[in-house]
Amino acid sequence: MEYVDGDSVTENQHLAEAIDVTREGSAQPGSAGYDEPDSAGAGVTLRDSCFHVAIEQLEKIEAAPEESQEEIARVVRMLRSAQNADNDRRARVMAEAHEILQDLWVPPE
């Protein structure tokens, strides 16, 4: 899979941020402290934070074409369903979300 920088594939700030954090959240379990307790605040790991930010940014997108909006909704469901899974699954879901999001077109906001 090709990892991309959000700003290089979209002019929509919300989508760009979601692309960036899903790239970060797809880090292999145990790498760079993504799963260390309290690494992003009390009771929050960096990977937890990536899930939260990705979902939050995707929910802010309102002007996407219908097909893109359906894919965004699917990615949000994927992220929510894996949010409390083991770190291996969470990393895989983040990688899959990253791959899906980089192929979407959403107008700038």
Side-chain angles (χ1 to χ4, degrees), residues 91-108:
R92 285 191 311 271
V93 168
M94 279 292 212
E96 183 179 353
H98 181 75
E99 192 167 5
I100 293 167
L101 293 174
Q102 64 185 292
D103 291 332
L104 295 182
W105 184 84
V106 175

Side-chain angles (χ1 to χ4, degrees), residues 41-55:
V44 181
T45 67
L46 286 173
R47 196 177 316 274
D48 293 337
S49 178
C50 289
F51 269 88
H52 175 75
V53 171
I55 292 168

